[in-house]
Amino acid sequence: MKKLTGLFLAAAMSLGLLAGCAGPAANSPAASGAPAANSGTPAGSSEPIKFTVSTDGTVRAEYVDRFVQYVEEASNGRYTGEAYAPSSLGTAADMAQMIQLGTLDFCLNDDMSIDGILDGALGFAWLPGLVADYEEADAYYNQGWIGQQVAAIMEANNIIRISSFCNGFRQVGNLKHEITEMSDLRGLKIRTPSVASVVSFYEKCGAMPVMIATPEVLSALQTGTVDGLDNCVFNYIVQGLTDVVTYITELNYCYSGGCFVASPSFWGKLSAEDQEMFRTCAQKASDDFTEYFRTTTEELTQKGIDEGQWVVSQPSEAMKTELQGIYQAIWEESKDKYPAEIMDAIINGSYKG
């Protein structure tokens, strides 16, 4: 039958081997408990200044290692990094809290996960319909107004956002039938994350959103507990769904990003020149990840089509028109959840500059 899973597992294992074989930047097991806060280096010392960094996923670990390598090269060895093994310090939320406390200097995670400790303050950034394609995602989110607002809120909560990367568009995949019209979605049980705007989106589309923990998604699909799921195609690898999902509709209704973040306690010790150097290295590693993410997504999609595993569809023009109405409705119902200046910019479109 269709054997996409073997290809994806091999790719994931290859990335793991690459991360494990890295030099000084290679991910190493964390010591018991949280790493100690960096105390810097006394003036006049010839010892390099050490910093710590980690992430929550094996695939991202290679790009943490690249960040360390880029910093060591750019600083001519003045700075040296210790990359802790992915997830060895806990969840993305755990690491974000360590950033706030200063017990971890840097971490690489997606904005949605970091939002888990910010009481949903960043949720405006992935309201449905803000960006429609990668060009808009880069212009309005990654390097634009949305990313700037996300960074400002993070900084107000003791987290310094120093880069931006692509975390993809959410699509709808299912086992039942092709979805090109709004009527095709009605009545389908779709697994969604516990994100209010995503749940509202599917309710307004006539589907039945079901919130199930990520490790249970595969079983839920196999047993018919749900008919489909909402996620980016890239994440089908992690969830083991490449040989299970049959139909995918590229709604591109919801986009989110990710970033390297720094602890204010470490960041505040740096000169302006060194802060710029760290930002440049973080963005370089983030750009590397974005290229990998988007290329892999394209290759996965084409492989699924070529091998007959997936039927990949686009929404009809009529469905796109209905989706625009749903986006506007969700923006309006979100006005009381986020600052007025943010929602005004979204509703009147000025966030596009």
Side-chain angles (χ1 to χ4, degrees):
M1 206 175 165
K2 299 88 181 174
K3 298 296 182 183
L4 289 173
T5 303
L7 171 67
F8 305 143
L9 287 177
M13 288 174 66
S14 175
L15 277 174
L17 288 172
L18 283 172
C21 293
N27 287 284
S28 59
S32 58
N38 192 292
S39 59
T41 299
S45 172
S46 61
E47 291 297 317
I49 300 172
K50 296 181 180 180
F51 64 90
T52 56
V53 59
S54 193
T55 189
D56 66 338
T58 303
V59 172
R60 293 175 182 167
E62 177 181 350
Y63 300 90
V64 166
D65 289 342
R66 291 191 187 192
F67 168 62
V68 172
Q69 177 186 344
Y70 293 154
V71 169
E72 292 178 346
E73 291 174 350
S75 68
N76 292 317
R78 288 190 300 113
Y79 289 93
T80 183
E82 180 175 8
Y84 290 95
S87 300
S88 63
L89 301 180
T91 65
D94 293 331
M95 283 181 274
Q97 289 178 322
M98 293 169 69
I99 289 290
Q100 290 177 313
L101 295 171
T103 54
L104 180 66
D105 298 324
F106 297 93
C107 74
L108 171 66
N109 278 311
D110 58 89
D111 293 336
M112 274 193 177
S113 294
I114 295 173
D115 194 39
I117 67 165
L118 301 181
D119 297 324
L122 305 179
F124 69 89
W126 39 86
L127 287 173
L130 294 185
V131 300
D133 52 37
Y134 285 146
E135 183 177 356
E136 289 192 355
D138 289 338
Y140 308 145
Y141 192 126
N142 297 332
Q143 309 302 329
W145 180 89
I146 297 173
Q148 292 166 6
Q149 302 307 309
V150 168
I153 292 172
M154 285 187 181
E155 185 168 0
N157 286 275
N158 246 22
I159 298 171
I160 309 298
R161 192 177 196 265
I162 63 171
S163 75
S164 193
F165 67 78
C166 175
N167 200 41
F169 283 96
R170 304 190 75 86
Q171 319 292 8
V172 59
N174 81 99
L175 283 65
K176 295 293 186 179
H177 53 247
E178 193 173 5
I179 297 172
T180 59
E181 305 292 343
M182 195 66 76
S183 58
D184 297 328
L185 256 178
R186 294 190 183 116
L188 289 183
K189 294 174 288 184
I190 304 295
R191 184 271 174 182
T192 70
S194 300
V195 175
S197 59
V198 173
V199 172
S200 179
F201 172 78
Y202 280 100
E203 288 176 341
K204 287 176 170 55
C205 288
M208 300 169 59
V210 182
M211 282 145 280
I212 295 176
T214 299
E216 300 173 12
V217 173
L218 177 58
S219 175
L221 286 167
Q222 292 172 329
T223 60
T225 302
V226 295
D227 302 312
L229 77 156
D230 168 270
N231 212 328
C232 62
V233 171
F234 186 92
N235 285 342
Y236 289 4
I237 309 171
V238 179
Q239 295 182 359
L241 305 175
T242 52
D243 287 347
V244 178
V245 172
T246 306
Y247 302 96
I248 298 173
T249 300
E250 296 181 329
L251 294 178
N252 279 19
Y253 80 97
C254 175
Y255 175 89
S256 66
C259 56
F260 275 96
V261 294
S263 169
S265 62
F266 182 87
W267 195 250
K269 299 174 185 176
L270 302 177
S271 67
E273 292 78 7
D274 282 353
Q275 287 180 353
E276 182 60 28
M277 181 267 293
F278 272 97
R279 285 187 186 276
T280 299
C281 293
Q283 191 56 58
K284 185 177 180 181
S286 294
D287 290 344
D288 291 348
F289 179 76
T290 293
E291 181 179 1
Y292 167 75
F293 184 103
R294 293 177 178 178
T295 299
T296 300
T297 296
E298 183 179 349
E299 291 174 349
L300 291 179
T301 303
Q302 192 58 53
K303 185 77 171 177
I305 294 171
D306 291 345
E307 295 196 353
Q309 175 64 41
W310 295 341
V311 175
V312 179
S313 308
Q314 306 295 322
S316 68
E317 291 304 315
M319 186 176 185
K320 288 179 182 178
T321 299
E322 290 183 79
L323 289 174
Q324 289 298 323
I326 289 173
Y327 300 157
Q328 293 286 339
I330 294 176
W331 296 353
E332 287 293 332
E333 70 184 25
S334 300
K335 288 172 69 173
D336 294 334
K337 298 179 182 178
Y338 307 107
E341 61 271 20
I342 286 179
M343 290 311 303
D344 287 347
I346 288 174
I347 291 172
N348 65 34
S350 63
Y351 73 94
K352 295 182 177 182

